[in-house]
Amino acid sequence: MPLWGNTDGANKKPKSPKTRNVREVLQFYTANTTVAGNTSITLVYADGGANNIANIGAAAGQFVYFYPNGPASVDGTGNGYAGMFASNNTIASVNTNTVILTNALFNTLNAAALIEFDKGIVYPTGEVSNTYNQDVILITPSRMANVNTSIANTGSLNSGWTHFRKKTNNDGTVRYIKETLVCLANPVASNTLSGNTSFGQIASGV
């Protein structure tokens, strides 16, 4: 996968340990074909005992990734990256070897398609790592012209992926710290909300 993209999609952010927000838990193959629009998927699992995917760790809330043609193919959801960024689908419930998804399938899954479940990475409260991914946003030339005044006063911005952090000093003074992670010549933003961070909107427009 590319190390970053030049659009403001959630899976286009720079891929580094700091921006990572999920980790792999389990992988299974589908037992049969599941057509688009369904939320129920039956998976293959047998260990010669009484175990099933429900009692070896598959659980509600885990992020779901689909590989329609097996492990060599890209994630079929089109969103997120297994083991790196959260997907747009999660497990709603698990019953033995069947999972119910929170969102219906957009495409048909073939039998023997690989499915991966990931858990969100939880950091200690107050750590910068807790909101690092959310605070990495794409700065475009137009956003530079519409940046929050408090941020603009701290110095010039570069076009590209930038991490912002709000810091409150002991005397109550608020400072904004920014770090350019990747400079881009032609960044493309399409969602005004993607200029938001965990503590507010940094840049308006696209």
Side-chain angles (χ1 to χ4, degrees):
M1 60 183 171
L3 290 178
W4 59 74
N6 71 335
T7 63
D8 60 352
N11 61 350
K12 304 300 184 182
K13 293 184 178 183
K15 296 164 185 68
S16 71
K18 287 185 177 180
T19 55
R20 183 183 181 195
N21 54 16
V22 296
R23 62 180 178 82
E24 178 188 330
V25 178
L26 297 164
Q27 288 186 339
F28 303 101
Y29 289 99
T30 53
N32 44 47
T33 298
T34 308
V35 299
N38 280 323
T39 57
S40 177
I41 300 175
T42 301
L43 302 170
V44 175
Y45 180 78
D47 63 357
N51 288 323
N52 53 56
I53 68 169
N55 60 28
I56 65 166
Q62 291 174 359
F63 297 94
V64 182
Y65 304 82
F66 307 107
Y67 302 80
N69 301 311
S73 68
V74 297
D75 173 30
T77 64
N79 292 278
Y81 274 109
M84 177 59 69
F85 296 145
S87 77
N88 65 347
N89 214 340
T90 57
I91 298 175
S93 62
V94 184
N95 182 10
T96 60
N97 286 334
T98 299
V99 294
I100 305 299
L101 307 177
T102 54
N103 297 309
L105 295 177
F106 290 105
N107 297 303
T108 295
L109 272 179
N110 297 323
L114 183 69
I115 291 189
E116 177 172 313
F117 301 142
D118 287 4
K119 281 185 178 181
I121 298 173
V122 179
Y123 297 97
T125 303
E127 283 231 1
V128 173
S129 303
N130 244 332
T131 56
Y132 193 95
N133 183 289
Q134 190 177 350
D135 294 340
V136 172
I137 64 173
L138 187 64
I139 296 297
T140 64
S142 61
R143 282 181 174 173
M144 281 190 262
N146 296 294
V147 74
N148 178 303
T149 303
S150 300
I151 298 294
N153 288 341
T154 65
S156 60
L157 289 172
N158 295 309
S159 178
W161 290 106
T162 306
H163 176 252
F164 291 94
R165 183 160 67 98
K166 182 179 181 181
K167 184 178 186 297
T168 304
N169 294 334
N170 291 335
D171 62 0
T173 304
V174 175
R175 296 177 55 220
Y176 294 92
I177 301 169
K178 59 183 181 294
E179 176 188 10
T180 303
L181 304 178
V182 179
C183 287
L184 295 171
N186 299 297
V188 179
S190 57
N191 182 355
T192 56
L193 293 179
S194 64
N196 293 353
T197 63
S198 64
F199 52 85
Q201 187 174 57
I202 294 299
S204 60
V206 294

